[in-house]
């Protein structure tokens, strides 16, 4: 007998009692036993706050991102082991890859976003500086800092690898330690995942803890700095959200709950069209991948009333080719549900759904099984229902969390929008159509009830990830019944674990807080041109002032001829004079930018390796022939790159003319060597 261990307070903990048995979903054999008896939940949370949190906050976003990348690479080396263990949960090899590879992909995706979109710092600066006074001595800016608590992550049974990792990655990148509590049925897989992570030595102590078994009094010890992320039933989410401590301390609570997701077939997508085939194929895939045990699976398939018979037949024909059986057999297309209890729960839900429709494929009670015992294993036939009256309540209120979907007819765009909304909030929906007008009406009509929408057609089908595939760059969550939360969502997922604070101060103080130069703060004009300084020598605030440079009519004419930009305001004196914005010939904006570069650039080889872009460019005042330009270039932000011999420098550029009026402002981005 294997007793699942928890990892809390810096050590592996064996339960103080025998625990409850966990069974192989295919054979019914006992896999392990699970219990959290003997765990001091308060001490575990405090360990995360006092040990894991400080260790993570010492690292910059880029350093945390590098650890996520290394961890993803390490877990890739153990994929085969995790695949094999997944088979015990009833998962086919394809199901296992969806879970395991998807989870590893989330780690790598957040590693990439952290490196590209976050600074090599511990403070995230959000938005631009807000002027709060006429003289510029009082300004404000929003910053985000790591919460000083623990991200408590309560996961569902259906994705024992991807589920924990998609919560862990953004929390880790934000500098917040995680405490993972997996669902019991498949906790043996999550436990092995955490063992691999801890044994890798890649994550700081206290940044990841594991509780196998019941939560006990865990929520009783939450503080205002802690977070809870939950995936599971809406009823359980409601109880957790209403926990007195969660309410009293305003604990951040994110839920991903029940979701009666829908897919809508467009009225012009009849038999023989690519979209008809795509709809049927997607529906069957969503019913059978993970044996339908996906929070994003299609539960309601809306079909034009005139196509209902065609879709029923096509989907039934395709489902007939699905072989249910032992995942170890390569001929198996769909494995078992996670447990016998889960199978009985699906059957109970089916009885409620049968009040509104009839079975057109499958048998809820019996199924032919390949290479396994249909009674000892948690096997269930795919079941396709058909409801003639789409207004019946049951399909819009009851979710059978397994290989079950209901076909529902609709007669108009307005009706199907109303029917989709009756799910009262979904994680994912899709519309399959080649009609862009219909697609637009559906997307805008049902978007308020959905966290994510896929529009599938012949153009994007080859590269589409499908209806039920959450992506770490996009929000995964949904309104209403779906929980009201937004897990992941790229940098949104990171910022969920941080506190946004408006800082009001003078430019000098604000610059010290953010690590960035702020307009109005001191500049340092030195004898050495900033472009001659390596990253190690350059300081925020280092400045060069260059100019003046007179702009002539000949300059404007030459630029127009050389570039081909002969817009009338630069070439036709009469037309330019009639322009109410200019009143005469003006210089091209890009001529101004080009002249500015000629003024501030130090041309000799040196630490500056490349200019890789401009951002936030705005032309503020027209430049006329005879105006004289002066450029002020200031080092605004310095970001060394991890594991590279160079870093990024953001420069503030202010181009002004002889009266002091700014004619252009923008940021220049350069790559600069760390050492000369």
């Amino acid at each position: 007998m294997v007793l699942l261990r928890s990892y809390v307070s810096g050590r592996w903990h064996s339960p103080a009692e025998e625990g409850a048995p966990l069974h192989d979903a295919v054979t019914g054999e006992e896999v392990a036993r699970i219990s959290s008896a003997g765990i001091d939940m308060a001490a575990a949370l405090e360990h995360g706050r006092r040990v894991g949190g400080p260790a993570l906050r010492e690292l910059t976003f880029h350093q945390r991102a590098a650890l996520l990348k290394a961890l993803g690479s390490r877990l890739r080396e153990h994929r085969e082991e995790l695949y094999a263990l997944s088979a015990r949960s009833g998962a086919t090899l394809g199901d296992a890859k969806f879970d395991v590879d998807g989870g590893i992909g989330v780690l790598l995706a957040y590693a990439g976003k952290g490196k590209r979109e976050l600074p090599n710092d511990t403070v995230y600066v959000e938005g631009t500086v807000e002027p709060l006074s006429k003289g510029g001595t009082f300004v404000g800016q929003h910053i985000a800092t790591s919460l000083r608590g623990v991200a408590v992550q309560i996961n569902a049974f259906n994705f024992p690898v991807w589920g924990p990792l998609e919560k862990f990655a953004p929390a880790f990148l934000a500098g917040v330690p995680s405490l993972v509590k997996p669902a019991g049925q498949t906790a043996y897989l999550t436990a092995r995942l955490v063992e691999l992570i801890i044994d890798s030595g890649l994550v700081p102590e206290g940044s990841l803890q594991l509780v196998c078994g019941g939560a006990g009094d865990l929520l009783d010890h939450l503080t205002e700095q802690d977070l809870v992320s939950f995936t599971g039933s809406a009823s359980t989410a409601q109880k957790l959200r209403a926990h007195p401590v969660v309410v009293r301390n305003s604990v951040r609570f994110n839920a991903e709950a029940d979701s009666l997701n829908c897919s809508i077939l467009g009225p012009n997508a009849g038999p023989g069209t690519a979209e008809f085939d795509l709809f049927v194929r997607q529906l069957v895939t969503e019913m059978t991948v993970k044996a339908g045990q996906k929070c994003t699976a299609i539960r309601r398939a809306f079909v034009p009333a005139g196509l209902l018979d065609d879709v029923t037949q096509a989907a039934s024909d395709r489902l007939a080719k699905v072989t249910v059986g032992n995942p170890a057999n390569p001929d198996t297309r769909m494995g078992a549900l996670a447990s016998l209890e889960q199978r009985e729960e699906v059957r109970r839900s089916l009885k409620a759904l049968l009040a509104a429709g009839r079975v057109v494929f499958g048998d809820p009670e019996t199924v032919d099984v390949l290479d396994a015992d249909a009674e000892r294993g948690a096997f269930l036939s795919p079941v396709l229902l058909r409801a003639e009256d789409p207004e019946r309540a049951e399909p819009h209120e009851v979710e059978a969390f397994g290989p079950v979907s209901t076909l529902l007819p609709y007669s108009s765009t307005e009706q199907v929008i109303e029917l989709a909304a009756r799910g009262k909030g979904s994680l994912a929906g899709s519309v399959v159509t080649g009609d862009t007008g219909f697609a637009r009406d559906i997307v805008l009509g049902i978007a308020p009830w959905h966290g994510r929408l896929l529009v599938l057609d012949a153009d994007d089908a080859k590269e589409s990830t499908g209806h039920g595939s959450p992506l770490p760059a996009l929000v995964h969550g949904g309104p209403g019944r779906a929980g009201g939360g937004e897990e992941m969502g790229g940098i949104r997922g990171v910022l969920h674990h941080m506190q946004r604070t408006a800082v009001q101060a003078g430019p000098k103080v604000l610059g010290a807080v953010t690590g960035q130069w702020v307009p109005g703060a001191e500049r340092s004009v030195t004898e050495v041109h900033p472009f001659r300084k390596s990253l190690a020598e350059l300081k925020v605030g280092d400045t060069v002032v260059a100019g003046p440079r007179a702009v002539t009519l000949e300059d404007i004419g030459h630029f127009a001829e050389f570039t081909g930009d002969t817009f009338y305001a630069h070439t036709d004196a009469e037309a330019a004079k009639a322009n109410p914005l200019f009143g005469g010939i003006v210089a091209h904006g890009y001529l101004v930018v080009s002249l500015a570069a000629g003024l501030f650039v130090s041309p000799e080889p040196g630490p500056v390796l490349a200019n890789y872009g401009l951002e936030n460019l705005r032309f503020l005042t027209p430049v006329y022939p005879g105006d004289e330009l002066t450029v002020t270039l200031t080092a605004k932000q310095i970001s060394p790159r991890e594991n590279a011999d160079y870093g990024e420098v953001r420069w503030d550029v202010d181009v002004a003319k002889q009266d002091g009026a700014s004619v252009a402002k923008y940021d220049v981005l350069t790559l600069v060597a760390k050492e000369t």
Side-chain angles (χ1 to χ4, degrees):
M1 181 182 66
V2 177
L3 278 173
L4 293 186
R5 298 183 300 167
S6 297
Y7 186 77
V8 291
S9 300
R11 66 182 182 87
W12 288 102
H13 169 88
S14 295
E17 62 183 28
E18 190 175 81
L22 303 178
H23 297 100
D24 188 307
V26 177
T27 66
E29 298 172 350
E30 186 173 308
V31 177
R33 287 184 172 258
I34 185 170
S35 173
S36 61
I39 295 178
D40 187 334
M41 300 294 182
L45 289 171
E46 193 62 17
H47 181 73
R49 298 184 197 112
R50 295 195 176 276
V51 177
L56 279 176
R57 293 194 297 273
E58 284 184 2
L59 304 174
T60 67
F61 291 112
H62 286 196
Q63 289 170 330
R64 297 172 205 151
L67 289 177
L68 287 179
K69 182 178 180 180
L71 183 59
S73 297
R74 182 66 62 88
L75 290 177
R76 273 182 168 173
E77 299 172 3
H78 295 272
R79 285 184 296 179
E80 296 298 329
E81 176 188 353
L82 295 174
Y83 295 162
L85 201 53
S86 293
R88 310 207 73 167
S89 70
T92 64
L93 180 58
D95 295 338
K97 289 183 176 181
F98 193 97
D99 182 28
V100 175
D101 294 356
I104 294 172
V106 169
L107 294 180
L108 299 177
Y110 268 100
K113 293 189 78 67
K115 184 177 180 181
R116 293 189 307 271
E117 300 180 35
L118 296 174
N120 196 7
D121 201 342
T122 58
V123 178
Y124 179 78
V125 179
E126 186 177 64
T128 59
V129 174
E130 297 286 346
L132 302 176
S133 66
K134 290 184 178 180
T137 61
F138 186 51
V139 293
Q141 190 158 43
H142 290 95
I143 66 170
T145 52
S146 307
L147 288 171
R148 278 8 184 205
V150 174
V152 175
Q153 298 154 2
I154 303 172
N155 294 299
F157 67 85
N158 52 333
F159 285 99
V161 175
W162 180 85
L165 292 181
E166 64 105 3
K167 293 181 174 70
F168 168 76
F172 187 90
L173 192 53
V176 176
S178 296
L179 188 151
V180 175
K181 199 214 82 63
Q185 296 101 309
T186 54
Y188 51 87
L189 189 49
T190 306
R192 181 55 185 149
L193 171 71
V194 173
E195 284 180 357
L196 292 171
I197 295 174
I198 298 300
D199 290 348
S200 74
L202 290 170
V203 301
E205 172 52 43
S207 61
L208 177 62
Q209 298 184 86
L210 170 73
V211 171
C212 288
D217 62 351
L218 177 63
L219 300 189
D220 293 340
H221 306 291
L222 295 173
T223 71
E224 69 285 345
Q225 290 289 305
D226 298 315
L227 310 93
V228 175
S229 292
F230 169 79
T231 300
S233 71
S235 59
T236 302
Q238 184 178 6
K239 292 176 183 177
L240 296 178
R241 184 181 270 118
H243 189 283
V245 175
V246 172
V247 174
R248 182 175 67 245
N249 292 335
S250 299
V251 175
R252 294 191 189 185
F253 187 91
N254 186 89
E256 178 203 317
D258 301 347
S259 184
L260 286 163
N261 312 294
C262 71
S263 184
I264 301 169
L265 179 65
N268 295 329
T273 66
E275 284 73 25
F276 181 90
D277 294 338
L278 288 169
F279 179 84
V280 172
R281 188 182 312 140
Q282 176 178 261
L283 174 61
V284 172
T285 296
E286 290 297 308
M287 288 179 65
T288 55
V289 169
K290 296 286 290 184
Q293 298 169 115
K294 291 169 55 188
C295 55
T296 55
I298 297 169
R299 305 301 178 195
R300 299 174 297 157
F302 293 111
V303 177
L307 298 178
L308 189 57
D309 289 341
D310 295 312
V311 172
T312 299
Q313 187 61 54
S316 297
D317 290 345
R318 194 170 186 88
L319 284 167
K321 299 176 183 178
V322 174
T323 304
V324 179
N326 188 336
N329 191 311
D331 293 328
T332 293
R333 288 276 307 280
M334 190 181 91
L337 299 181
S339 66
L340 293 174
E341 292 78 13
Q342 181 61 26
R343 183 175 67 181
E344 291 310 305
E345 177 60 33
V346 173
R347 285 173 172 169
R348 282 193 292 270
S349 298
L350 267 168
K351 289 179 180 178
L353 289 171
L354 285 171
R358 59 188 174 89
V359 174
V360 292
F361 182 88
D363 185 335
E365 300 301 325
T366 63
V367 59
D368 291 329
V369 175
L370 178 66
D371 201 15
D373 187 323
E375 291 307 311
R376 289 181 60 83
F379 295 101
L380 183 71
S381 166
V383 178
L384 183 63
L385 303 173
R386 172 170 167 163
E388 303 298 337
D389 181 4
E391 301 295 338
R392 286 288 299 256
E394 292 86 354
H396 310 294
E397 296 179 359
V398 178
E399 180 182 23
F401 199 74
V404 180
S405 187
T406 302
L407 296 174
L408 296 148
Y410 73 90
S411 58
S412 68
T413 301
E414 294 73 22
Q415 184 193 29
V416 77
I417 289 173
E418 292 177 1
L419 292 172
R422 288 184 60 182
K424 298 182 179 179
S426 299
L427 297 169
S430 61
V431 52
V432 187
T433 180
D435 182 339
T436 56
F438 179 76
R440 182 182 190 276
D441 290 342
I442 294 296
V443 168
L444 298 183
I446 70 175
W449 286 272
H450 288 78
R452 179 163 52 87
L453 290 170
L454 164 70
V455 179
L456 186 64
D457 58 27
D459 294 331
D460 66 6
K462 289 184 179 179
E463 295 187 308
S464 169
T465 53
H467 171 102
S469 299
L471 299 170
L474 302 176
V475 164
H476 180 49
R481 177 187 176 124
E486 293 185 353
E487 291 184 339
M488 297 196 300
I491 300 304
R492 287 171 177 262
V494 178
L495 295 178
H496 174 72
H497 298 83
M498 306 183 77
Q499 176 61 44
R500 180 184 292 108
T501 303
V503 179
Q504 301 164 247
K508 181 171 68 173
V509 172
L510 188 60
V513 170
T514 63
Q516 300 182 15
W517 180 81
V518 176
E522 295 177 356
R523 290 184 169 99
S524 176
V525 181
T526 61
E527 294 183 4
V528 179
H529 192 293
F531 277 23
R532 313 312 312 160
K533 295 182 179 182
S534 68
L535 216 62
E537 301 166 318
L538 190 65
K539 305 295 182 186
V540 170
D542 280 358
T543 300
V544 60
V545 179
R549 177 13 166 127
V551 180
T552 67
L553 188 61
E554 290 74 18
D555 291 332
I556 299 171
H558 174 71
F559 193 81
E561 181 180 357
F562 182 72
T563 63
D565 181 358
T566 56
F567 183 64
Y568 74 88
H570 312 308
T571 57
D572 187 330
E574 287 296 322
K577 184 177 180 180
N579 186 311
L581 297 178
F582 302 133
I585 292 286
V586 294
H588 306 69
Y590 297 115
L591 171 59
V592 171
V593 172
S594 299
L595 293 176
L599 289 172
F600 67 66
V601 164
S602 178
E604 303 83 8
V608 176
L609 305 174
N611 173 340
Y612 71 97
L614 304 178
E615 288 185 355
N616 308 314
L617 173 61
R618 292 292 183 272
F619 299 118
L620 305 171
T621 304
V623 174
Y624 298 96
D627 282 341
E628 296 184 338
L629 303 180
T630 298
V631 184
T632 303
L633 179 82
T634 305
K636 183 176 184 178
Q637 183 180 14
I638 301 172
S639 301
R641 282 195 179 181
E642 296 294 319
N643 305 318
D645 57 3
Y646 61 89
E648 299 158 354
V649 179
R650 179 180 293 267
W651 306 84
D652 178 87
V653 182
D654 186 359
V655 185
K657 54 185 181 179
Q658 62 278 0
D659 61 0
S662 293
V663 301
K665 290 187 176 185
Y666 52 98
D667 291 347
V668 168
L669 310 174
T670 62
L671 300 178
V672 179
K674 289 182 177 178
E675 303 291 341
T676 312

